[in-house]
Amino acid sequence: MEVKSYFDKKTGNIYGFAAVKKKDLANFYRSNINSIFAFADKELVRMEVLAEQGKKNQAFDKIQVIEDSLKNVGYWGSLLQAVESDNSYIKREQGLWLKLSDAKKSLDRGTAVYLDISGNDDYSDLDEQLGAQMQAKGCNCTIAEDKDNADYLVTIKTKLSRCNENSYSEVYCWVNATVTVNNQKFKKPVNVKIPEAKGGWTNGNKDKATEEAFKELTNSLAEKIIQTINQ
């Protein structure tokens, strides 16, 4: 900014003048717009991470923050166009609003499921494997990390009931599970019947037989839970 002054000897008044080049002013306005876009891009990435983790409420909060920020683009854009005919930013602004709209639709469609699993000490991968199986079987859902962000609370209690070894050193193990699917919105828990799962292995290997039984149980759990949620 350039500042100049003039002293009028007759009146004793001092006059001040300030001026800025249109190009510099346009660059300043454009910089503010780009800063808003950069912030929106960064927060969109964080929102996507929250959505993948099943934290729907926090993801919606991020969307609100981004929307509030984008609303300022119009102000700086009007000042920019007043000094320079540049509306190139509008296309990027529209693209961000479209991404936010798609993100909200995706969050509304997706179902967040919280898995509360106990009794699976004989197969520690059940938590991870069940979530993967549900998504592989077409469940439009994410596995939530906490109950507050979940649409459904699924309580699972597993039990290794027995293992038998025959005269050929073949071991067979059976696993049971009691399952309750609770819609967090309507608070209507549903008990889900899961068939007993069986797994076998050779050479008297009980651990492998148990693992196979839990794999079969995981498959049944995924199918039954999805069916219950989609009812």
Side-chain angles (χ1 to χ4, degrees):
M1 185 178 295
E2 296 180 8
V3 180
K4 295 183 179 180
S5 61
Y6 171 74
F7 174 64
D8 187 340
K9 293 181 179 179
K10 292 182 178 180
T11 62
N13 294 329
I14 300 178
Y15 299 91
F17 302 90
V20 64
K21 293 181 180 178
K22 281 188 175 182
K23 182 179 179 180
D24 293 338
L25 197 57
N27 287 338
F28 172 72
Y29 295 147
R30 195 178 293 109
S31 176
N32 285 335
I33 293 172
N34 289 334
S35 293
I36 294 173
F37 289 156
F39 173 80
D41 287 336
K42 181 177 65 176
E43 293 301 295
L44 270 170
V45 172
R46 292 178 177 175
M47 181 277 298
E48 290 170 354
V49 171
L50 290 170
E52 289 173 359
Q53 294 174 343
K55 299 179 180 179
K56 293 178 65 174
N57 294 338
Q58 294 179 44
F60 272 117
D61 289 343
K62 280 292 180 187
I63 290 175
Q64 183 63 59
V65 169
I66 298 169
E67 288 179 340
D68 290 343
S69 177
L70 285 178
K71 290 175 183 177
N72 293 317
V73 172
Y75 169 75
W76 293 111
S78 63
L79 295 177
L80 173 60
Q81 294 188 57
V83 298
E84 187 176 286
S85 298
D86 180 8
N87 60 1
S88 59
Y89 66 91
I90 293 178
K91 186 175 181 179
R92 188 176 179 189
E93 180 189 9
Q94 291 174 340
L96 285 168
W97 280 110
L98 182 59
K99 284 184 178 180
L100 291 174
S101 176
D102 291 341
K104 286 193 286 189
K105 290 177 182 177
S106 179
L107 285 171
D108 286 334
R109 288 196 303 266
T111 301
V113 179
Y114 180 80
L115 301 175
D116 183 7
I117 304 176
S118 60
N120 61 314
D121 296 338
D122 297 287
Y123 186 62
S124 58
D125 290 337
L126 180 59
D127 305 57
E128 182 179 344
Q129 293 299 323
L130 179 55
Q133 277 278 11
M134 289 174 62
Q135 292 177 343
K137 291 181 180 297
C139 180
N140 182 24
C141 58
T142 56
I143 305 303
E145 292 187 347
D146 58 79
K147 297 178 183 180
D148 294 337
N149 288 288
D151 299 302
Y152 287 88
L153 170 60
V154 179
T155 304
I156 303 170
K157 294 182 179 179
T158 66
K159 182 180 179 181
L160 178 64
S161 60
R162 65 193 183 281
C163 287
N164 297 332
E165 183 176 351
N166 61 23
S167 57
Y168 301 101
S169 296
E170 295 173 339
V171 180
Y172 294 94
C173 294
W174 287 262
V175 182
N176 295 303
T178 56
V179 180
T180 301
V181 178
N182 189 6
N183 187 316
Q184 296 277 69
K185 181 177 181 180
F186 300 106
K187 303 296 182 182
K188 293 182 178 180
V190 177
N191 294 323
V192 181
K193 189 175 181 180
I194 304 295
E196 188 175 47
K198 175 184 176 182
W201 205 261
T202 58
N203 300 323
N205 195 328
K206 178 184 174 182
D207 290 339
K208 292 298 293 185
T210 300
E211 182 179 332
E212 291 301 306
F214 269 99
K215 285 181 179 179
E216 182 179 326
L217 178 69
T218 301
N219 185 65
S220 297
L221 285 169
E223 290 179 355
K224 294 296 184 179
I225 291 171
I226 293 173
Q227 290 175 8
T228 305
I229 290 175
N230 291 336
Q231 286 178 354

